Amino acid sequence: MNIGKYFCHRIPERSFFIKGHQFPVCARCSGFYTGLALYLIVNYFYPHEYNLEMLIISMILMIPVAIDGLSQYFGPRESKNNLRFTTGFIGGVGLIIFLKIIMRWGLNVL
């Protein structure tokens, strides 16, 4: 069963392979999920305040993945998987901080 197809495009050229087996998600999504998970683990042991400063930080952390993704989509450049993973990781950390702020502040955005 391939549940990864519901969470990612899984284009082979944009995915990592180990011993000939493709990851269930692309490099950028691998970075996102890794960033989300590692942040949650680190935050469990080293919690911090979720304030306006953290909201701004979370938005800044999502800028690199937006620039990489949009410039690749609209521009003539093709980023490499290591860059996709790195920007995805940074964006994943920013996204989880943003989501935790929304949950903590009780903002009803959905």
Side-chain angles (χ1 to χ4, degrees):
M1 184 169 167
N2 181 10
I3 66 167
K5 67 182 178 182
Y6 300 111
F7 300 103
C8 178
H9 57 69
R10 298 195 69 226
I11 296 172
E13 299 80 34
R14 297 182 182 176
S15 300
F16 291 121
F17 285 80
I18 293 183
K19 295 184 180 181
H21 297 284
Q22 183 178 352
F23 272 35
V25 293
C26 72
R28 186 171 291 126
C29 290
S30 295
F32 258 106
Y33 297 138
T34 303
L36 290 166
L38 283 178
Y39 177 82
L40 290 173
I41 292 167
V42 170
N43 185 247
Y44 178 79
F45 294 105
Y46 303 101
H48 55 79
E49 230 10 78
Y50 290 97
N51 52 26
L52 182 60
E53 182 179 288
M54 286 304 292
L55 178 64
I56 293 167
I57 289 170
S58 74
M59 291 179 185
I60 290 170
L61 289 173
M62 289 188 271
I63 291 172
V65 73
I67 291 171
D68 183 42
L70 291 172
S71 66
Q72 180 177 312
Y73 185 77
F74 290 112
R77 65 180 280 287
E78 182 79 17
S79 65
K80 304 289 184 212
N81 285 343
N82 290 337
L83 179 60
R84 287 187 190 104
F85 180 86
T86 302
T87 58
F89 181 89
I90 295 166
V93 171
L95 179 62
I96 193 64
I97 292 170
F98 185 80
L99 293 174
K100 286 181 78 78
I101 288 170
I102 289 173
M103 290 171 30
R104 293 278 164 110
W105 289 0
L107 301 176
N108 189 2
V109 294
L110 299 177

PDB file of all heavy atoms in Angstrom, residues 4 24 28 37 48-49 58 61 70 96 100:
ATOM      1  N   GLY A   4       1.966   7.299   0.708  1.00  0.00           N
ATOM      2  CA  GLY A   4       2.745   8.506   0.429  1.00  0.00           C
ATOM      3  C   GLY A   4       2.170   9.325  -0.703  1.00  0.00           C
ATOM      4  O   GLY A   4       2.311  10.547  -0.735  1.00  0.00           O
ATOM      5  N   PRO A  24       9.034   7.311   0.500  1.00  0.00           N
ATOM      6  CA  PRO A  24       7.596   7.444   0.281  1.00  0.00           C
ATOM      7  C   PRO A  24       7.155   8.874  -0.042  1.00  0.00           C
ATOM      8  O   PRO A  24       6.047   9.080  -0.528  1.00  0.00           O
ATOM      9  CB  PRO A  24       6.970   6.971   1.587  1.00  0.00           C
ATOM     10  CG  PRO A  24       8.054   6.967   2.580  1.00  0.00           C
ATOM     11  CD  PRO A  24       9.349   6.888   1.846  1.00  0.00           C
ATOM     12  N   ARG A  28      11.723  17.441  -0.488  1.00  0.00           N
ATOM     13  CA  ARG A  28      11.206  18.590   0.254  1.00  0.00           C
ATOM     14  C   ARG A  28      10.255  18.128   1.364  1.00  0.00           C
ATOM     15  O   ARG A  28      10.325  18.592   2.497  1.00  0.00           O
ATOM     16  CB  ARG A  28      10.515  19.576  -0.682  1.00  0.00           C
ATOM     17  CG  ARG A  28      10.101  20.856   0.020  1.00  0.00           C
ATOM     18  CD  ARG A  28       9.607  21.924  -0.950  1.00  0.00           C
ATOM     19  NE  ARG A  28      10.716  22.425  -1.755  1.00  0.00           N
ATOM     20  CZ  ARG A  28      10.733  22.450  -3.076  1.00  0.00           C
ATOM     21  NH1 ARG A  28       9.705  22.014  -3.770  1.00  0.00           N
ATOM     22  NH2 ARG A  28      11.776  22.927  -3.719  1.00  0.00           N
ATOM     23  N   ALA A  37       9.022  16.647  13.083  1.00  0.00           N
ATOM     24  CA  ALA A  37       9.257  15.638  14.119  1.00  0.00           C
ATOM     25  C   ALA A  37      10.377  16.050  15.066  1.00  0.00           C
ATOM     26  O   ALA A  37      10.231  15.960  16.298  1.00  0.00           O
ATOM     27  CB  ALA A  37       9.578  14.294  13.474  1.00  0.00           C
ATOM     28  N   HIS A  48       9.294  26.340  25.259  1.00  0.00           N
ATOM     29  CA  HIS A  48       9.469  27.786  25.271  1.00  0.00           C
ATOM     30  C   HIS A  48       8.117  28.461  25.090  1.00  0.00           C
ATOM     31  O   HIS A  48       7.108  27.816  24.813  1.00  0.00           O
ATOM     32  CB  HIS A  48      10.453  28.242  24.185  1.00  0.00           C
ATOM     33  CG  HIS A  48      10.084  27.793  22.811  1.00  0.00           C
ATOM     34  ND1 HIS A  48       9.129  28.415  22.060  1.00  0.00           N
ATOM     35  CD2 HIS A  48      10.529  26.751  22.072  1.00  0.00           C
ATOM     36  CE1 HIS A  48       9.000  27.796  20.917  1.00  0.00           C
ATOM     37  NE2 HIS A  48       9.835  26.769  20.894  1.00  0.00           N
ATOM     38  N   GLU A  49       8.093  29.748  25.233  1.00  0.00           N
ATOM     39  CA  GLU A  49       6.889  30.569  25.109  1.00  0.00           C
ATOM     40  C   GLU A  49       6.486  30.689  23.648  1.00  0.00           C
ATOM     41  O   GLU A  49       7.333  30.786  22.765  1.00  0.00           O
ATOM     42  CB  GLU A  49       7.243  31.962  25.605  1.00  0.00           C
ATOM     43  CG  GLU A  49       6.434  32.734  26.609  1.00  0.00           C
ATOM     44  CD  GLU A  49       5.318  32.091  27.360  1.00  0.00           C
ATOM     45  OE1 GLU A  49       5.577  31.359  28.301  1.00  0.00           O
ATOM     46  OE2 GLU A  49       4.174  32.413  27.011  1.00  0.00           O
ATOM     47  N   SER A  58       8.515  32.009  13.088  1.00  0.00           N
ATOM     48  CA  SER A  58       7.931  30.918  12.305  1.00  0.00           C
ATOM     49  C   SER A  58       7.706  31.343  10.857  1.00  0.00           C
ATOM     50  O   SER A  58       7.946  30.576   9.923  1.00  0.00           O
ATOM     51  CB  SER A  58       6.625  30.433  12.931  1.00  0.00           C
ATOM     52  OG  SER A  58       5.570  31.344  12.733  1.00  0.00           O
ATOM     53  N   LEU A  61      11.025  31.498   9.039  1.00  0.00           N
ATOM     54  CA  LEU A  61      11.529  30.161   8.731  1.00  0.00           C
ATOM     55  C   LEU A  61      10.842  29.535   7.519  1.00  0.00           C
ATOM     56  O   LEU A  61      11.399  28.656   6.867  1.00  0.00           O
ATOM     57  CB  LEU A  61      11.371  29.242   9.945  1.00  0.00           C
ATOM     58  CG  LEU A  61      12.299  29.516  11.112  1.00  0.00           C
ATOM     59  CD1 LEU A  61      11.919  28.647  12.316  1.00  0.00           C
ATOM     60  CD2 LEU A  61      13.745  29.283  10.727  1.00  0.00           C
ATOM     61  N   LEU A  70       8.744  28.262  -5.200  1.00  0.00           N
ATOM     62  CA  LEU A  70       8.163  29.159  -6.200  1.00  0.00           C
ATOM     63  C   LEU A  70       9.141  29.486  -7.321  1.00  0.00           C
ATOM     64  O   LEU A  70       8.761  29.549  -8.493  1.00  0.00           O
ATOM     65  CB  LEU A  70       7.658  30.442  -5.539  1.00  0.00           C
ATOM     66  CG  LEU A  70       6.430  30.267  -4.638  1.00  0.00           C
ATOM     67  CD1 LEU A  70       6.121  31.556  -3.887  1.00  0.00           C
ATOM     68  CD2 LEU A  70       5.226  29.804  -5.448  1.00  0.00           C
ATOM     69  N   ILE A  96       5.477  24.007  12.107  1.00  0.00           N
ATOM     70  CA  ILE A  96       5.008  23.436  13.378  1.00  0.00           C
ATOM     71  C   ILE A  96       4.939  24.510  14.457  1.00  0.00           C
ATOM     72  O   ILE A  96       4.031  24.507  15.288  1.00  0.00           O
ATOM     73  CB  ILE A  96       5.845  22.210  13.816  1.00  0.00           C
ATOM     74  CG1 ILE A  96       5.149  21.444  14.944  1.00  0.00           C
ATOM     75  CG2 ILE A  96       7.240  22.597  14.244  1.00  0.00           C
ATOM     76  CD1 ILE A  96       3.827  20.826  14.575  1.00  0.00           C
ATOM     77  N   LYS A 100       1.490  25.407  16.321  1.00  0.00           N
ATOM     78  CA  LYS A 100       1.403  25.396  17.791  1.00  0.00           C
ATOM     79  C   LYS A 100       0.912  26.747  18.319  1.00  0.00           C
ATOM     80  O   LYS A 100       0.159  26.802  19.285  1.00  0.00           O
ATOM     81  CB  LYS A 100       2.754  25.015  18.408  1.00  0.00           C
ATOM     82  CG  LYS A 100       3.066  23.531  18.243  1.00  0.00           C
ATOM     83  CD  LYS A 100       4.377  23.146  18.877  1.00  0.00           C
ATOM     84  CE  LYS A 100       4.312  23.006  20.347  1.00  0.00           C
ATOM     85  NZ  LYS A 100       3.747  21.806  20.907  1.00  0.00           N
TER      86      LYS A 100
END
